[in-house]
Amino acid sequence: MVMKNTACGRRQLIASRREFLSQSGLGLGAVALTQLLGGPTQAAPPDASTTISPAGPAADPLSPRAPHITGKARNVILLFMQGGASHVDTFDPKPELARFDGQALPASFKSDDLFLQFMKASDGKLMASPFPFKKYGESGLEISDLFRNVARHADDLAVIRSCYHDSFIHGPALSLLHSGSVLLGHPSVGSWIVYGLGCETRNLPAYMVMTDGNLRISSSGYSSGFLPAVYQGTFLSGEGSAIQNLAPPASVSAGEQRMLLDQLQAWNARHAQDRPADSRLEARIANYELAFRMQSAAPELIRISDEPAHIRELYGVDKEPTARFGRMCLLARRMVERGVRFVQLYSSDWDGHGDCPGNHQGNAAKIDLPIAGLIADLKQRGLFDETLIVWTGEFGRTPIMQGNKGRDHSPYGFSTWMAGGGIRGGKVVGATDDLGFRAAEDKVHVHDLHATMLSLLGLKHEELTYLFEGRRRRLTDVGGDNDLAELLVS
């Protein structure tokens, strides 16, 4: 029981746990952090995975867990190009496309099975990239002029030019890239990784998300889906207060807040005694405690004014057009430095239907320098080899022209690159056909991409499962191949 002040100045006892919670709008560890407490929270049941599970009902669901095998990487920074960057304008040079620029698609090129959103493949004229490709580094990796700063790290990049899937509409494609399924309600890849490995920080969320614009997929892009809500991503705003409802009311001291949390813990522990098989209460307590600890850790994390001038210049945080994405990349480095497991950064919007060259030039100018700065900074701090960087979008774009200078969606062949995390850079994996329409050599499905990410972290995608609706679910569904991981590290 605790005391409260009544309107007439007398002291009264709050006798029940429910009344206490309804009366105390006192920032209980910032319980209004909706990304941490975004729904009914439960820890994983003891049999949720064949090899990974909490130690029991009292275990912290975010505590670090041993991987299945020795992994190369410890954390991930996902750079997501929302809208779909054109592979033939960025990381997949096509001399034949330049040779046939302005011509109709050759009659010999089978296109009946290439479903596009706004046009037929056979109706468009081929459009060469206006951006020259050059060879960089000792490897001679060819990269477009759009990414001249990233190209300085060509020998660190492994470019996968043969990614593919079948969803040519943004919604299903985004869902597939984020969760391995076109259906909503499935956990994001970040949630699966945190579920498998836990987190190495006690003072910050395990999974954090930022964007430089509007999220087309909203919170479903970092949702925990049918996994417990404790594994959901925490969104940081790029404007105003980075984390909403973090600070407690000024009238509540740290001591008073600690007392309230301790009382809540005592009630929850007593409540759990009669429910030994229910781990939801322990997960809820863990979230309260995390939110409480974040009140000191999170402000320090986002205070990039502490960074020296040469680091701020490296990311371009004090000038346009790189300021916003530069700040995001700098924060990503600070996050992994402090033990955050998965960081997801969105660049938007790469949906170049009307003027693809203009769209891509503007977007690349915002992110090229910051990404190059991120790679350089991770390397100089000794974090690069344990941080897996993944650059991708939901699909690529057509080598044929839409309208005047646009390109339609194309999931049949697109590029992704990886760096750090044990990746052996300066290499190309797979290829699209001569025009860049379809993945043609060493094809890499999205499930293979996800299996590779898990493998580099030491997780076997077939064994990272969760029992849901009578079936053991996994990120890669019934697909996934680890062969790509072996190619990337050898």
Side-chain angles (χ1 to χ4, degrees), residues 352-402:
H353 287 289
D355 177 10
C356 192
N359 170 280
H360 280 35
Q361 193 163 30
N363 280 313
K366 297 175 184 178
I367 71 170
D368 178 35
L369 179 65
I371 293 174
L374 173 64
I375 294 172
D377 201 10
L378 290 172
K379 291 171 76 172
Q380 70 184 8
R381 293 170 187 272
L383 297 170
F384 185 67
D385 289 340
E386 62 186 41
T387 304
L388 176 64
I389 303 174
V390 181
W391 184 97
T392 192
E394 64 263 42
F395 37 52
R397 308 201 78 83
T398 58
I400 57 174
M401 185 188 305
Q402 178 187 0

Side-chain angles (χ1 to χ4, degrees), residues 226-240:
F226 52 70
L227 287 177
V230 72
Y231 301 114
Q232 180 164 309
T234 297
F235 183 78
L236 270 70
S237 174
E239 297 178 342

Side-chain angles (χ1 to χ4, degrees), residues 21 144 162 326:
L21 289 172
S144 155
S162 54

